Amino acid sequence: MTPRLKNAIYVEGYKIEVSFTDGVTGVIDLESELWGEVFEPLKKLENFRAFKLDLELKTIVWPTGADLAPEFLYQKAVA
């Protein structure tokens, strides 16, 4: 079953606090995950901070076209 992300709040740096519908919450640091062509623009904090919660995709997305799988965010949150 795909985890359902219900909230995402910017914390600081490359950290985002995520909350899932099953009650799992956590602060995830994505700095080390920003590699590859699609994530390169997110190394600029102003671009990184521009994420939005996409309820249709059930994950966070950026105006640059980048997104992360909700399963990945969930694994990072419970780690």
Side-chain angles (χ1 to χ4, degrees), residues 26-71:
V27 175
I28 57 175
D29 187 347
L30 297 172
E31 186 171 16
S32 65
E33 307 299 334
L34 303 178
W35 54 273
E37 189 175 328
V38 73
F39 294 106
E40 191 67 29
L42 302 183
K43 289 183 179 180
K44 290 184 179 179
L45 269 177
E46 75 178 51
N47 291 339
F48 180 82
R49 293 179 64 179
F51 71 88
K52 301 287 183 212
L53 177 60
D54 185 313
L55 295 176
E56 185 177 328
L57 296 176
K58 301 176 188 77
T59 195
I60 53 177
V61 298
W62 286 268
T64 61
D67 64 57
L68 292 167
E71 298 88 350

Side-chain angles (χ1 to χ4, degrees), residues 8-39:
I9 301 168
Y10 177 76
V11 177
E12 66 179 350
Y14 296 94
K15 296 178 183 176
I16 299 174
E17 181 179 350
V18 292
S19 302
F20 293 86
T21 57
D22 67 355
V24 168
T25 63
V27 175
I28 57 175
D29 187 347
L30 297 172
E31 186 171 16
S32 65
E33 307 299 334
L34 303 178
W35 54 273
E37 189 175 328
V38 73
F39 294 106

